[in-house]
Amino acid sequence: MSRLVPFFGFLLLVALFGFGIWWNTQHDQREVPSPLINKAAPAYVLPRLDDPTQTVSRDSMLGKPYLINVFASWCIACGEEHPVLMTEGQRIGVPIVGYNYKDEPGDAKAWLDRHGNPYAMVIADHEGRTAIDFGVYGAPESFLVDAKGVIRYKRIGPLTPDVIEKELKPAIAALQKEAP
């Protein structure tokens, strides 16, 4: 019997490996449920990238829905997403607030100069402390915040034309139906 223990151990590892493969084919790795959905966005006060003497806060953004897009100049996936924001950004129906994440201000400004700026404004979180409150895993990520400051949608990973059409625009349309 003791000679079969390694064999059963091997079978258990094969079963776990097979389950892992099956699980990954059945679930989108970007679909991480956020505990912040339908809850108030975390309080923040962050400087603007273009003028660090001015700050933007959650409270100052109340009254209008907006999309926060987390990006950084060092983020490769942000470079893939950025052309989509440049073409689709004006058509999604809400302003996009760029959230520059753990980036040097000069690098971020140069990156936006080089690739274009689809954002209504850009706020900077150099240390990434506020991003922790938002539950940011990395860049790019996007949060749709309604006029009451409640997070209604979160996307981990790049926004694509398909994601914008099938997920983001319906979420924005739902917000507009709720508006008084």
Side-chain angles (χ1 to χ4, degrees):
M1 180 66 179
S2 65
R3 295 175 65 184
L4 294 177
V5 170
F7 177 71
F8 288 120
F10 176 74
L11 286 179
L12 178 64
L13 289 175
V14 168
L16 288 173
F17 183 71
F19 177 76
I21 290 173
W22 173 82
W23 182 265
N24 285 329
T25 61
Q26 301 298 312
H27 296 86
D28 185 350
Q29 302 305 308
R30 296 176 187 188
E31 297 292 330
V32 178
S34 173
L36 295 177
I37 298 297
N38 295 323
K39 294 187 179 166
Y44 63 88
V45 178
L46 292 170
R48 290 180 61 126
L49 181 66
D50 61 339
D51 183 359
T53 63
Q54 294 185 11
T55 59
V56 177
S57 68
R58 178 190 63 189
D59 293 345
S60 71
M61 296 297 289
L62 292 175
K64 54 191 174 239
Y66 57 99
L67 182 73
I68 295 177
N69 178 251
V70 180
F71 78 99
S73 65
W74 47 262
C75 167
I76 294 171
C78 298
E80 296 169 6
E81 176 189 61
H82 204 73
V84 174
L85 294 177
M86 290 298 293
T87 57
E88 301 288 330
Q90 298 295 321
R91 295 185 284 215
I92 65 169
V94 295
I96 303 175
V97 176
Y99 186 108
N100 187 236
Y101 175 61
K102 291 187 173 180
D103 208 353
E104 293 297 326
D107 293 345
K109 289 176 186 174
W111 194 81
L112 289 171
D113 287 345
R114 189 170 47 252
H115 298 288
N117 186 349
Y119 303 115
M121 74 174 83
V122 179
I123 54 179
D125 186 6
H126 183 66
E127 300 292 326
R129 294 186 192 276
T130 300
I132 293 171
D133 296 337
F134 271 89
V136 170
Y137 291 91
E141 288 189 24
S142 297
F143 299 85
L144 178 61
V145 182
D146 72 12
K148 296 175 185 170
V150 175
I151 295 176
R152 304 301 290 271
Y153 171 82
K154 178 181 180 182
R155 168 78 181 169
I156 298 173
L159 290 171
T160 64
D162 193 49
V163 168
I164 290 172
E165 286 300 320
K166 292 180 178 172
E167 296 178 19
L168 186 58
K169 284 185 176 178
I172 292 169
L175 292 182
Q176 292 168 342
K177 286 181 183 174
E178 294 175 5

PDB file of all heavy atoms in Angstrom, residues 91-127:
ATOM      1  N   ARG A  91     -17.104  59.839 -27.512  1.00  0.00           N
ATOM      2  CA  ARG A  91     -18.430  59.327 -27.863  1.00  0.00           C
ATOM      3  C   ARG A  91     -19.086  58.484 -26.773  1.00  0.00           C
ATOM      4  O   ARG A  91     -20.171  57.972 -26.976  1.00  0.00           O
ATOM      5  CB  ARG A  91     -18.338  58.500 -29.150  1.00  0.00           C
ATOM      6  CG  ARG A  91     -17.938  59.329 -30.341  1.00  0.00           C
ATOM      7  CD  ARG A  91     -17.982  58.516 -31.576  1.00  0.00           C
ATOM      8  NE  ARG A  91     -16.812  57.634 -31.614  1.00  0.00           N
ATOM      9  CZ  ARG A  91     -16.172  57.298 -32.707  1.00  0.00           C
ATOM     10  NH1 ARG A  91     -16.593  57.730 -33.861  1.00  0.00           N
ATOM     11  NH2 ARG A  91     -15.126  56.512 -32.659  1.00  0.00           N
ATOM     12  N   ILE A  92     -18.425  58.302 -25.653  1.00  0.00           N
ATOM     13  CA  ILE A  92     -19.014  57.400 -24.656  1.00  0.00           C
ATOM     14  C   ILE A  92     -20.090  58.071 -23.816  1.00  0.00           C
ATOM     15  O   ILE A  92     -20.854  57.400 -23.157  1.00  0.00           O
ATOM     16  CB  ILE A  92     -17.954  56.747 -23.752  1.00  0.00           C
ATOM     17  CG1 ILE A  92     -17.233  57.785 -22.903  1.00  0.00           C
ATOM     18  CG2 ILE A  92     -16.989  55.915 -24.557  1.00  0.00           C
ATOM     19  CD1 ILE A  92     -16.371  57.163 -21.826  1.00  0.00           C
ATOM     20  N   GLY A  93     -20.134  59.396 -23.814  1.00  0.00           N
ATOM     21  CA  GLY A  93     -21.231  60.075 -23.145  1.00  0.00           C
ATOM     22  C   GLY A  93     -20.922  60.614 -21.758  1.00  0.00           C
ATOM     23  O   GLY A  93     -21.781  61.265 -21.160  1.00  0.00           O
ATOM     24  N   VAL A  94     -19.747  60.349 -21.237  1.00  0.00           N
ATOM     25  CA  VAL A  94     -19.341  60.926 -19.948  1.00  0.00           C
ATOM     26  C   VAL A  94     -17.882  61.366 -20.077  1.00  0.00           C
ATOM     27  O   VAL A  94     -17.127  60.805 -20.874  1.00  0.00           O
ATOM     28  CB  VAL A  94     -19.476  59.922 -18.766  1.00  0.00           C
ATOM     29  CG1 VAL A  94     -20.935  59.557 -18.526  1.00  0.00           C
ATOM     30  CG2 VAL A  94     -18.626  58.690 -18.979  1.00  0.00           C
ATOM     31  N   PRO A  95     -17.492  62.362 -19.285  1.00  0.00           N
ATOM     32  CA  PRO A  95     -16.080  62.757 -19.330  1.00  0.00           C
ATOM     33  C   PRO A  95     -15.195  61.656 -18.754  1.00  0.00           C
ATOM     34  O   PRO A  95     -15.589  60.942 -17.830  1.00  0.00           O
ATOM     35  CB  PRO A  95     -16.024  64.028 -18.475  1.00  0.00           C
ATOM     36  CG  PRO A  95     -17.295  64.080 -17.724  1.00  0.00           C
ATOM     37  CD  PRO A  95     -18.283  63.207 -18.405  1.00  0.00           C
ATOM     38  N   ILE A  96     -14.010  61.547 -19.321  1.00  0.00           N
ATOM     39  CA  ILE A  96     -13.032  60.577 -18.820  1.00  0.00           C
ATOM     40  C   ILE A  96     -11.993  61.342 -18.000  1.00  0.00           C
ATOM     41  O   ILE A  96     -11.392  62.298 -18.480  1.00  0.00           O
ATOM     42  CB  ILE A  96     -12.331  59.828 -19.963  1.00  0.00           C
ATOM     43  CG1 ILE A  96     -13.357  59.130 -20.859  1.00  0.00           C
ATOM     44  CG2 ILE A  96     -11.342  58.806 -19.397  1.00  0.00           C
ATOM     45  CD1 ILE A  96     -12.746  58.472 -22.090  1.00  0.00           C
ATOM     46  N   VAL A  97     -11.828  60.900 -16.772  1.00  0.00           N
ATOM     47  CA  VAL A  97     -10.819  61.478 -15.895  1.00  0.00           C
ATOM     48  C   VAL A  97      -9.622  60.531 -15.893  1.00  0.00           C
ATOM     49  O   VAL A  97      -9.741  59.382 -15.475  1.00  0.00           O
ATOM     50  CB  VAL A  97     -11.362  61.662 -14.454  1.00  0.00           C
ATOM     51  CG1 VAL A  97     -10.271  62.168 -13.532  1.00  0.00           C
ATOM     52  CG2 VAL A  97     -12.556  62.612 -14.457  1.00  0.00           C
ATOM     53  N   GLY A  98      -8.508  61.013 -16.369  1.00  0.00           N
ATOM     54  CA  GLY A  98      -7.295  60.203 -16.334  1.00  0.00           C
ATOM     55  C   GLY A  98      -6.757  60.142 -14.915  1.00  0.00           C
ATOM     56  O   GLY A  98      -6.702  61.162 -14.215  1.00  0.00           O
ATOM     57  N   TYR A  99      -6.404  58.955 -14.492  1.00  0.00           N
ATOM     58  CA  TYR A  99      -5.870  58.744 -13.137  1.00  0.00           C
ATOM     59  C   TYR A  99      -4.449  58.224 -13.309  1.00  0.00           C
ATOM     60  O   TYR A  99      -4.244  57.035 -13.556  1.00  0.00           O
ATOM     61  CB  TYR A  99      -6.746  57.720 -12.411  1.00  0.00           C
ATOM     62  CG  TYR A  99      -6.413  57.494 -10.956  1.00  0.00           C
ATOM     63  CD1 TYR A  99      -7.262  57.969  -9.964  1.00  0.00           C
ATOM     64  CD2 TYR A  99      -5.286  56.793 -10.562  1.00  0.00           C
ATOM     65  CE1 TYR A  99      -6.987  57.753  -8.632  1.00  0.00           C
ATOM     66  CE2 TYR A  99      -4.997  56.571  -9.238  1.00  0.00           C
ATOM     67  CZ  TYR A  99      -5.842  57.054  -8.277  1.00  0.00           C
ATOM     68  OH  TYR A  99      -5.578  56.834  -6.944  1.00  0.00           O
ATOM     69  N   ASN A 100      -3.497  59.133 -13.250  1.00  0.00           N
ATOM     70  CA  ASN A 100      -2.105  58.757 -13.467  1.00  0.00           C
ATOM     71  C   ASN A 100      -1.584  58.060 -12.212  1.00  0.00           C
ATOM     72  O   ASN A 100      -1.549  58.633 -11.129  1.00  0.00           O
ATOM     73  CB  ASN A 100      -1.280  59.998 -13.812  1.00  0.00           C
ATOM     74  CG  ASN A 100       0.127  59.635 -14.205  1.00  0.00           C
ATOM     75  OD1 ASN A 100       1.073  60.114 -13.610  1.00  0.00           O
ATOM     76  ND2 ASN A 100       0.293  58.778 -15.185  1.00  0.00           N
ATOM     77  N   TYR A 101      -1.172  56.820 -12.383  1.00  0.00           N
ATOM     78  CA  TYR A 101      -0.899  55.910 -11.272  1.00  0.00           C
ATOM     79  C   TYR A 101       0.598  55.605 -11.158  1.00  0.00           C
ATOM     80  O   TYR A 101       1.191  55.090 -12.107  1.00  0.00           O
ATOM     81  CB  TYR A 101      -1.687  54.627 -11.521  1.00  0.00           C
ATOM     82  CG  TYR A 101      -1.464  53.496 -10.568  1.00  0.00           C
ATOM     83  CD1 TYR A 101      -1.752  53.613  -9.210  1.00  0.00           C
ATOM     84  CD2 TYR A 101      -0.994  52.272 -11.032  1.00  0.00           C
ATOM     85  CE1 TYR A 101      -1.568  52.551  -8.352  1.00  0.00           C
ATOM     86  CE2 TYR A 101      -0.820  51.194 -10.177  1.00  0.00           C
ATOM     87  CZ  TYR A 101      -1.107  51.347  -8.846  1.00  0.00           C
ATOM     88  OH  TYR A 101      -0.925  50.289  -7.991  1.00  0.00           O
ATOM     89  N   LYS A 102       1.159  55.940 -10.014  1.00  0.00           N
ATOM     90  CA  LYS A 102       2.562  55.624  -9.701  1.00  0.00           C
ATOM     91  C   LYS A 102       3.497  55.971 -10.858  1.00  0.00           C
ATOM     92  O   LYS A 102       4.248  55.135 -11.336  1.00  0.00           O
ATOM     93  CB  LYS A 102       2.708  54.140  -9.342  1.00  0.00           C
ATOM     94  CG  LYS A 102       2.078  53.767  -8.035  1.00  0.00           C
ATOM     95  CD  LYS A 102       2.415  52.315  -7.686  1.00  0.00           C
ATOM     96  CE  LYS A 102       1.945  51.969  -6.315  1.00  0.00           C
ATOM     97  NZ  LYS A 102       2.257  50.584  -5.948  1.00  0.00           N
ATOM     98  N   ASP A 103       3.414  57.196 -11.276  1.00  0.00           N
ATOM     99  CA  ASP A 103       4.164  57.644 -12.439  1.00  0.00           C
ATOM    100  C   ASP A 103       4.885  58.940 -12.099  1.00  0.00           C
ATOM    101  O   ASP A 103       4.430  59.701 -11.239  1.00  0.00           O
ATOM    102  CB  ASP A 103       3.180  57.878 -13.588  1.00  0.00           C
ATOM    103  CG  ASP A 103       3.788  57.683 -14.952  1.00  0.00           C
ATOM    104  OD1 ASP A 103       5.010  57.494 -15.048  1.00  0.00           O
ATOM    105  OD2 ASP A 103       3.016  57.720 -15.926  1.00  0.00           O
ATOM    106  N   GLU A 104       5.970  59.185 -12.761  1.00  0.00           N
ATOM    107  CA  GLU A 104       6.641  60.468 -12.630  1.00  0.00           C
ATOM    108  C   GLU A 104       5.860  61.486 -13.456  1.00  0.00           C
ATOM    109  O   GLU A 104       5.520  61.201 -14.623  1.00  0.00           O
ATOM    110  CB  GLU A 104       8.079  60.384 -13.131  1.00  0.00           C
ATOM    111  CG  GLU A 104       8.966  59.510 -12.278  1.00  0.00           C
ATOM    112  CD  GLU A 104       9.110  60.048 -10.849  1.00  0.00           C
ATOM    113  OE1 GLU A 104       9.119  61.276 -10.666  1.00  0.00           O
ATOM    114  OE2 GLU A 104       9.182  59.221  -9.924  1.00  0.00           O
ATOM    115  N   PRO A 105       5.566  62.665 -12.909  1.00  0.00           N
ATOM    116  CA  PRO A 105       4.763  63.648 -13.646  1.00  0.00           C
ATOM    117  C   PRO A 105       5.346  63.986 -15.025  1.00  0.00           C
ATOM    118  O   PRO A 105       4.605  64.083 -16.005  1.00  0.00           O
ATOM    119  CB  PRO A 105       4.766  64.869 -12.719  1.00  0.00           C
ATOM    120  CG  PRO A 105       4.973  64.306 -11.358  1.00  0.00           C
ATOM    121  CD  PRO A 105       5.859  63.102 -11.541  1.00  0.00           C
ATOM    122  N   GLY A 106       6.646  64.122 -15.106  1.00  0.00           N
ATOM    123  CA  GLY A 106       7.262  64.439 -16.396  1.00  0.00           C
ATOM    124  C   GLY A 106       7.082  63.316 -17.402  1.00  0.00           C
ATOM    125  O   GLY A 106       6.834  63.568 -18.597  1.00  0.00           O
ATOM    126  N   ASP A 107       7.188  62.084 -16.934  1.00  0.00           N
ATOM    127  CA  ASP A 107       6.986  60.938 -17.830  1.00  0.00           C
ATOM    128  C   ASP A 107       5.537  60.886 -18.318  1.00  0.00           C
ATOM    129  O   ASP A 107       5.275  60.608 -19.488  1.00  0.00           O
ATOM    130  CB  ASP A 107       7.324  59.629 -17.117  1.00  0.00           C
ATOM    131  CG  ASP A 107       8.806  59.500 -16.788  1.00  0.00           C
ATOM    132  OD1 ASP A 107       9.614  60.272 -17.353  1.00  0.00           O
ATOM    133  OD2 ASP A 107       9.146  58.633 -15.955  1.00  0.00           O
ATOM    134  N   ALA A 108       4.598  61.137 -17.406  1.00  0.00           N
ATOM    135  CA  ALA A 108       3.175  61.108 -17.778  1.00  0.00           C
ATOM    136  C   ALA A 108       2.853  62.208 -18.787  1.00  0.00           C
ATOM    137  O   ALA A 108       2.156  61.971 -19.775  1.00  0.00           O
ATOM    138  CB  ALA A 108       2.304  61.253 -16.532  1.00  0.00           C
ATOM    139  N   LYS A 109       3.363  63.412 -18.532  1.00  0.00           N
ATOM    140  CA  LYS A 109       3.098  64.521 -19.456  1.00  0.00           C
ATOM    141  C   LYS A 109       3.701  64.245 -20.829  1.00  0.00           C
ATOM    142  O   LYS A 109       3.063  64.499 -21.861  1.00  0.00           O
ATOM    143  CB  LYS A 109       3.666  65.823 -18.881  1.00  0.00           C
ATOM    144  CG  LYS A 109       2.893  66.330 -17.681  1.00  0.00           C
ATOM    145  CD  LYS A 109       3.571  67.568 -17.101  1.00  0.00           C
ATOM    146  CE  LYS A 109       2.910  68.007 -15.821  1.00  0.00           C
ATOM    147  NZ  LYS A 109       3.629  69.109 -15.167  1.00  0.00           N
ATOM    148  N   ALA A 110       4.916  63.721 -20.861  1.00  0.00           N
ATOM    149  CA  ALA A 110       5.553  63.408 -22.141  1.00  0.00           C
ATOM    150  C   ALA A 110       4.775  62.319 -22.881  1.00  0.00           C
ATOM    151  O   ALA A 110       4.611  62.376 -24.104  1.00  0.00           O
ATOM    152  CB  ALA A 110       7.000  62.970 -21.906  1.00  0.00           C
ATOM    153  N   TRP A 111       4.296  61.328 -22.137  1.00  0.00           N
ATOM    154  CA  TRP A 111       3.518  60.235 -22.738  1.00  0.00           C
ATOM    155  C   TRP A 111       2.236  60.774 -23.359  1.00  0.00           C
ATOM    156  O   TRP A 111       1.873  60.406 -24.479  1.00  0.00           O
ATOM    157  CB  TRP A 111       3.228  59.198 -21.659  1.00  0.00           C
ATOM    158  CG  TRP A 111       2.730  57.888 -22.148  1.00  0.00           C
ATOM    159  CD1 TRP A 111       3.463  56.853 -22.647  1.00  0.00           C
ATOM    160  CD2 TRP A 111       1.357  57.455 -22.183  1.00  0.00           C
ATOM    161  NE1 TRP A 111       2.635  55.806 -22.976  1.00  0.00           N
ATOM    162  CE2 TRP A 111       1.341  56.152 -22.703  1.00  0.00           C
ATOM    163  CE3 TRP A 111       0.149  58.047 -21.814  1.00  0.00           C
ATOM    164  CZ2 TRP A 111       0.168  55.423 -22.869  1.00  0.00           C
ATOM    165  CZ3 TRP A 111      -1.019  57.323 -21.983  1.00  0.00           C
ATOM    166  CH2 TRP A 111      -0.996  56.030 -22.501  1.00  0.00           C
ATOM    167  N   LEU A 112       1.535  61.675 -22.637  1.00  0.00           N
ATOM    168  CA  LEU A 112       0.305  62.263 -23.167  1.00  0.00           C
ATOM    169  C   LEU A 112       0.598  63.170 -24.366  1.00  0.00           C
ATOM    170  O   LEU A 112      -0.179  63.203 -25.324  1.00  0.00           O
ATOM    171  CB  LEU A 112      -0.440  63.034 -22.073  1.00  0.00           C
ATOM    172  CG  LEU A 112      -1.086  62.170 -20.995  1.00  0.00           C
ATOM    173  CD1 LEU A 112      -1.609  63.038 -19.851  1.00  0.00           C
ATOM    174  CD2 LEU A 112      -2.212  61.317 -21.567  1.00  0.00           C
ATOM    175  N   ASP A 113       1.713  63.891 -24.312  1.00  0.00           N
ATOM    176  CA  ASP A 113       2.093  64.726 -25.470  1.00  0.00           C
ATOM    177  C   ASP A 113       2.352  63.847 -26.700  1.00  0.00           C
ATOM    178  O   ASP A 113       1.999  64.212 -27.814  1.00  0.00           O
ATOM    179  CB  ASP A 113       3.339  65.553 -25.154  1.00  0.00           C
ATOM    180  CG  ASP A 113       3.054  66.707 -24.205  1.00  0.00           C
ATOM    181  OD1 ASP A 113       1.866  67.051 -24.015  1.00  0.00           O
ATOM    182  OD2 ASP A 113       4.028  67.239 -23.630  1.00  0.00           O
ATOM    183  N   ARG A 114       2.958  62.712 -26.484  1.00  0.00           N
ATOM    184  CA  ARG A 114       3.329  61.820 -27.588  1.00  0.00           C
ATOM    185  C   ARG A 114       2.104  61.075 -28.153  1.00  0.00           C
ATOM    186  O   ARG A 114       1.996  60.905 -29.359  1.00  0.00           O
ATOM    187  CB  ARG A 114       4.382  60.821 -27.102  1.00  0.00           C
ATOM    188  CG  ARG A 114       5.021  59.982 -28.177  1.00  0.00           C
ATOM    189  CD  ARG A 114       6.239  59.176 -27.697  1.00  0.00           C
ATOM    190  NE  ARG A 114       6.044  58.467 -26.443  1.00  0.00           N
ATOM    191  CZ  ARG A 114       6.613  58.807 -25.269  1.00  0.00           C
ATOM    192  NH1 ARG A 114       7.405  59.847 -25.207  1.00  0.00           N
ATOM    193  NH2 ARG A 114       6.397  58.107 -24.181  1.00  0.00           N
ATOM    194  N   HIS A 115       1.187  60.641 -27.280  1.00  0.00           N
ATOM    195  CA  HIS A 115       0.074  59.787 -27.717  1.00  0.00           C
ATOM    196  C   HIS A 115      -1.265  60.506 -27.804  1.00  0.00           C
ATOM    197  O   HIS A 115      -2.235  59.930 -28.287  1.00  0.00           O
ATOM    198  CB  HIS A 115      -0.068  58.591 -26.768  1.00  0.00           C
ATOM    199  CG  HIS A 115       1.135  57.712 -26.739  1.00  0.00           C
ATOM    200  ND1 HIS A 115       1.490  56.882 -27.785  1.00  0.00           N
ATOM    201  CD2 HIS A 115       2.102  57.551 -25.801  1.00  0.00           C
ATOM    202  CE1 HIS A 115       2.596  56.234 -27.484  1.00  0.00           C
ATOM    203  NE2 HIS A 115       2.995  56.626 -26.280  1.00  0.00           N
ATOM    204  N   GLY A 116      -1.352  61.731 -27.308  1.00  0.00           N
ATOM    205  CA  GLY A 116      -2.614  62.462 -27.285  1.00  0.00           C
ATOM    206  C   GLY A 116      -3.263  62.345 -25.921  1.00  0.00           C
ATOM    207  O   GLY A 116      -2.937  61.467 -25.134  1.00  0.00           O
ATOM    208  N   ASN A 117      -4.190  63.280 -25.668  1.00  0.00           N
ATOM    209  CA  ASN A 117      -4.834  63.321 -24.363  1.00  0.00           C
ATOM    210  C   ASN A 117      -6.353  63.216 -24.525  1.00  0.00           C
ATOM    211  O   ASN A 117      -7.006  64.179 -24.893  1.00  0.00           O
ATOM    212  CB  ASN A 117      -4.469  64.614 -23.631  1.00  0.00           C
ATOM    213  CG  ASN A 117      -4.993  64.641 -22.213  1.00  0.00           C
ATOM    214  OD1 ASN A 117      -5.793  63.803 -21.815  1.00  0.00           O
ATOM    215  ND2 ASN A 117      -4.534  65.607 -21.456  1.00  0.00           N
ATOM    216  N   PRO A 118      -6.917  62.052 -24.217  1.00  0.00           N
ATOM    217  CA  PRO A 118      -8.368  61.876 -24.350  1.00  0.00           C
ATOM    218  C   PRO A 118      -9.134  62.287 -23.095  1.00  0.00           C
ATOM    219  O   PRO A 118     -10.359  62.144 -23.044  1.00  0.00           O
ATOM    220  CB  PRO A 118      -8.498  60.366 -24.575  1.00  0.00           C
ATOM    221  CG  PRO A 118      -7.386  59.791 -23.747  1.00  0.00           C
ATOM    222  CD  PRO A 118      -6.252  60.804 -23.858  1.00  0.00           C
ATOM    223  N   TYR A 119      -8.423  62.796 -22.086  1.00  0.00           N
ATOM    224  CA  TYR A 119      -9.027  63.015 -20.782  1.00  0.00           C
ATOM    225  C   TYR A 119      -9.546  64.448 -20.616  1.00  0.00           C
ATOM    226  O   TYR A 119      -8.920  65.399 -21.064  1.00  0.00           O
ATOM    227  CB  TYR A 119      -8.014  62.724 -19.679  1.00  0.00           C
ATOM    228  CG  TYR A 119      -7.448  61.321 -19.762  1.00  0.00           C
ATOM    229  CD1 TYR A 119      -6.096  61.113 -20.032  1.00  0.00           C
ATOM    230  CD2 TYR A 119      -8.258  60.210 -19.577  1.00  0.00           C
ATOM    231  CE1 TYR A 119      -5.569  59.831 -20.112  1.00  0.00           C
ATOM    232  CE2 TYR A 119      -7.744  58.925 -19.653  1.00  0.00           C
ATOM    233  CZ  TYR A 119      -6.403  58.737 -19.916  1.00  0.00           C
ATOM    234  OH  TYR A 119      -5.893  57.469 -20.001  1.00  0.00           O
ATOM    235  N   ALA A 120     -10.662  64.572 -19.904  1.00  0.00           N
ATOM    236  CA  ALA A 120     -11.181  65.887 -19.552  1.00  0.00           C
ATOM    237  C   ALA A 120     -10.252  66.560 -18.555  1.00  0.00           C
ATOM    238  O   ALA A 120     -10.100  67.777 -18.554  1.00  0.00           O
ATOM    239  CB  ALA A 120     -12.588  65.755 -18.956  1.00  0.00           C
ATOM    240  N   MET A 121      -9.644  65.751 -17.702  1.00  0.00           N
ATOM    241  CA  MET A 121      -8.604  66.208 -16.778  1.00  0.00           C
ATOM    242  C   MET A 121      -7.826  64.977 -16.336  1.00  0.00           C
ATOM    243  O   MET A 121      -8.301  63.853 -16.491  1.00  0.00           O
ATOM    244  CB  MET A 121      -9.185  66.938 -15.563  1.00  0.00           C
ATOM    245  CG  MET A 121      -9.849  66.020 -14.551  1.00  0.00           C
ATOM    246  SD  MET A 121     -10.378  66.845 -13.054  1.00  0.00           S
ATOM    247  CE  MET A 121     -11.943  67.507 -13.580  1.00  0.00           C
ATOM    248  N   VAL A 122      -6.640  65.230 -15.828  1.00  0.00           N
ATOM    249  CA  VAL A 122      -5.808  64.124 -15.341  1.00  0.00           C
ATOM    250  C   VAL A 122      -5.421  64.432 -13.904  1.00  0.00           C
ATOM    251  O   VAL A 122      -4.903  65.506 -13.596  1.00  0.00           O
ATOM    252  CB  VAL A 122      -4.536  63.945 -16.202  1.00  0.00           C
ATOM    253  CG1 VAL A 122      -3.682  62.806 -15.644  1.00  0.00           C
ATOM    254  CG2 VAL A 122      -4.894  63.689 -17.664  1.00  0.00           C
ATOM    255  N   ILE A 123      -5.710  63.466 -13.023  1.00  0.00           N
ATOM    256  CA  ILE A 123      -5.281  63.571 -11.634  1.00  0.00           C
ATOM    257  C   ILE A 123      -4.131  62.601 -11.422  1.00  0.00           C
ATOM    258  O   ILE A 123      -3.989  61.619 -12.147  1.00  0.00           O
ATOM    259  CB  ILE A 123      -6.452  63.292 -10.650  1.00  0.00           C
ATOM    260  CG1 ILE A 123      -7.120  61.940 -10.938  1.00  0.00           C
ATOM    261  CG2 ILE A 123      -7.457  64.428 -10.705  1.00  0.00           C
ATOM    262  CD1 ILE A 123      -8.257  61.591  -9.985  1.00  0.00           C
ATOM    263  N   ALA A 124      -3.298  62.909 -10.448  1.00  0.00           N
ATOM    264  CA  ALA A 124      -2.074  62.126 -10.261  1.00  0.00           C
ATOM    265  C   ALA A 124      -2.029  61.509  -8.862  1.00  0.00           C
ATOM    266  O   ALA A 124      -2.276  62.195  -7.871  1.00  0.00           O
ATOM    267  CB  ALA A 124      -0.857  63.011 -10.489  1.00  0.00           C
ATOM    268  N   ASP A 125      -1.724  60.238  -8.813  1.00  0.00           N
ATOM    269  CA  ASP A 125      -1.535  59.514  -7.552  1.00  0.00           C
ATOM    270  C   ASP A 125      -0.132  58.928  -7.603  1.00  0.00           C
ATOM    271  O   ASP A 125       0.055  57.749  -7.893  1.00  0.00           O
ATOM    272  CB  ASP A 125      -2.604  58.428  -7.403  1.00  0.00           C
ATOM    273  CG  ASP A 125      -2.557  57.725  -6.059  1.00  0.00           C
ATOM    274  OD1 ASP A 125      -1.776  58.149  -5.184  1.00  0.00           O
ATOM    275  OD2 ASP A 125      -3.308  56.754  -5.883  1.00  0.00           O
ATOM    276  N   HIS A 126       0.841  59.779  -7.317  1.00  0.00           N
ATOM    277  CA  HIS A 126       2.239  59.399  -7.453  1.00  0.00           C
ATOM    278  C   HIS A 126       2.605  58.236  -6.535  1.00  0.00           C
ATOM    279  O   HIS A 126       3.334  57.329  -6.925  1.00  0.00           O
ATOM    280  CB  HIS A 126       3.127  60.619  -7.174  1.00  0.00           C
ATOM    281  CG  HIS A 126       4.573  60.369  -7.360  1.00  0.00           C
ATOM    282  ND1 HIS A 126       5.110  60.094  -8.593  1.00  0.00           N
ATOM    283  CD2 HIS A 126       5.588  60.323  -6.476  1.00  0.00           C
ATOM    284  CE1 HIS A 126       6.416  59.905  -8.454  1.00  0.00           C
ATOM    285  NE2 HIS A 126       6.721  60.033  -7.178  1.00  0.00           N
ATOM    286  N   GLU A 127       2.082  58.258  -5.317  1.00  0.00           N
ATOM    287  CA  GLU A 127       2.411  57.201  -4.349  1.00  0.00           C
ATOM    288  C   GLU A 127       1.523  55.967  -4.504  1.00  0.00           C
ATOM    289  O   GLU A 127       1.874  54.897  -4.021  1.00  0.00           O
ATOM    290  CB  GLU A 127       2.279  57.749  -2.920  1.00  0.00           C
ATOM    291  CG  GLU A 127       3.186  58.918  -2.621  1.00  0.00           C
ATOM    292  CD  GLU A 127       4.649  58.524  -2.599  1.00  0.00           C
ATOM    293  OE1 GLU A 127       4.951  57.399  -2.177  1.00  0.00           O
ATOM    294  OE2 GLU A 127       5.478  59.341  -3.032  1.00  0.00           O
TER     295      GLU A 127
END
